[in-house]
Amino acid sequence: MAAVHKLIEELGRQGALKAAETDADRRAVEAAIAYMSDEEAGIGFLYSGWCQAALPHKRLADDAVWKVQTERVTLVVEPGRRNLAGDDTAFCGVPFGSRARLILLYLQSEALRTNSRDIELGRSLHAWLGRLGIPIGGKSFKDVREQADRLSRCRLTFHVQQGGRAGLMNQNIVDAAMFVDDDSAQGSLFVETARLSETFFEQLKKHPVPLEEGAIRAISNNSQALDIYCWLAYRLHVLPQARTVSWPALYAQFGSSYKKLAHFKMRFVDSLKIAIAVYREAEVELDNKGLVLKPSRPPVAPKLITANGSPATRVQPRRN
């Protein structure tokens, strides 16, 4: 499915765009062009659980609980509450969409980069979102503020089953809100730092998945393509041999927002094309049974170096 890259190399950008037969093909070409022309080499990290079970793509009812159950991971996200006047409270809803995913990626990447649960926000988060092409102003700022608030208040449960072992993580993502109310005309402001919960931070350090910032940048507005990219980055490089993931299994993991499998299939194929456009090494094939995954190089190549005389594993973006 990496034909889009060859098409660009053979026909050039404009030729490849003209040759695209569908809107989805065109979006895949555009994503590949953006990725291939991106010269910034940045690396982000995501807890492996998020690569196997993700947040909803669209807004749910404010009191709705989100659940995704896959072969190895069950994720439950419960909405938090915000205080109202008097003794009242109200559900604020679970986080959703691409903005929530990008905030999560920032928090986890910074925590690993600094080896600290305390993460600077304010200018740092603004700058990072800017690097991903997300302007901080107007509706965009409102969206980021809303998703940060939802992430701050929600409670998540990851139940991981692997082999004969099982693990459970059940708590908030962060220990305090990422925004504070402000009585001035600004309404609300980023706090100076956010603190990842201790359990979540420990799991992140044990099970990080490296991702290319350039790839994230190219598909930052497509939440389903982001989910598929992260999943493939986690799965493909550890496969000992080809494996087929059935359509029902794909539907369980990625299709909770769709009422019918047929509707999900069409959207999944379109999003898969976009994800593969920024992960050239991914070896996958679609057939009637589902998606065939084949052993592939990871998007971020491992590199063994020596730090202060001791062996240390580092990673670097892999570009052709």
Side-chain angles (χ1 to χ4, degrees):
M1 294 189 67
V4 62
H5 305 99
K6 295 180 180 179
L7 194 67
I8 294 170
E9 292 168 351
E10 293 173 358
L11 302 181
R13 298 182 180 184
Q14 293 304 315
L17 288 170
K18 289 181 180 179
E21 297 180 356
T22 66
D23 288 342
D25 291 338
R26 183 179 180 85
R27 289 194 294 271
V29 170
E30 290 172 342
I33 290 172
Y35 170 71
M36 294 167 72
S37 61
D38 194 320
E39 296 182 355
E40 294 186 33
I43 299 170
F45 293 91
L46 201 62
Y47 166 56
S48 62
W50 288 118
C51 297
Q52 302 172 73
L55 295 170
H57 301 297
K58 298 180 180 180
R59 180 189 296 269
L60 305 180
D62 285 348
D63 61 349
V65 174
W66 174 252
K67 180 177 179 178
V68 178
Q69 187 167 2
T70 68
E71 181 183 7
R72 299 176 181 176
V73 171
T74 298
L75 167 66
V76 178
V77 185
E78 301 172 76
R81 290 177 178 266
R82 64 168 59 93
N83 290 323
L84 302 178
D87 296 330
D88 291 338
T89 63
F91 285 107
C92 61
V94 300
F96 65 92
S98 62
R99 298 295 188 261
R101 287 160 168 78
L102 295 177
I103 295 170
L104 269 176
L105 180 60
Y106 171 78
L107 294 176
Q108 293 169 85
S109 300
E110 283 297 291
L112 286 184
R113 185 182 67 83
T114 61
N115 193 31
S116 172
R117 295 201 285 141
D118 295 315
I119 301 143
E120 292 186 11
L121 299 177
R123 291 182 180 178
S124 297
L125 181 56
H126 285 198
W128 188 80
L129 292 174
R131 289 207 308 271
L132 294 178
I134 299 172
I136 301 299
K139 184 180 184 301
S140 180
F141 179 84
K142 181 181 178 182
D143 291 344
V144 170
R145 187 249 183 269
E146 177 187 359
Q147 296 307 320
D149 186 54
R150 289 170 177 243
L151 284 166
S152 297
R153 300 178 190 274
C154 75
R155 187 173 183 84
L156 64 90
T157 300
F158 271 111
H159 185 274
V160 181
Q161 183 76 41
Q162 190 164 9
R165 298 178 299 170
L168 181 69
M169 178 170 63
N170 182 6
Q171 66 173 174
N172 291 24
I173 299 170
V174 295
D175 284 344
M178 285 180 267
F179 275 86
V180 292
D181 293 330
D182 181 28
D183 294 332
S184 70
Q186 297 183 67
S188 59
L189 298 170
F190 279 111
V191 296
E192 291 185 2
T193 60
R195 171 171 286 188
L196 288 184
S197 63
E198 185 172 1
T199 302
F200 184 72
F201 182 51
E202 290 302 318
Q203 290 300 310
L204 171 63
K205 288 195 294 184
K206 291 178 181 177
H207 307 287
V209 178
L211 308 167
E212 277 194 272
E213 271 193 13
I216 301 296
R217 218 173 351 256
I219 59 176
S220 61
N221 288 319
N222 189 319
S223 59
Q224 189 172 70
L226 285 169
D227 290 348
I228 295 171
Y229 168 76
C230 295
W231 176 60
L232 294 178
Y234 166 73
R235 287 295 307 275
L236 294 182
H237 72 98
V238 296
L239 288 174
Q241 59 189 21
R243 179 178 179 181
T244 298
V245 182
S246 69
W247 281 115
L250 292 169
Y251 185 47
Q253 180 168 349
F254 299 103
S256 299
S257 299
Y258 302 91
K259 293 183 178 180
K260 295 183 179 180
L261 176 59
H263 296 163
F264 161 72
K265 280 186 178 182
M266 181 173 59
R267 293 297 301 273
F268 178 83
V269 171
D270 290 349
S271 296
L272 177 65
K273 291 178 181 179
I274 295 171
I276 297 302
V278 297
Y279 184 1
R280 186 168 184 170
E281 295 84 2
E283 296 288 343
V284 300
E285 289 182 5
L286 284 165
D287 63 21
N288 292 332
K289 295 181 179 179
L291 183 65
V292 181
L293 307 180
K294 301 179 180 180
S296 308
R297 294 190 301 174
V300 178
K303 182 180 180 182
L304 189 65
I305 66 172
T306 301
N308 298 326
S310 301
T313 299
R314 295 292 185 267
V315 290
Q316 60 184 4
R318 191 190 283 280
R319 292 296 178 92
N320 293 330

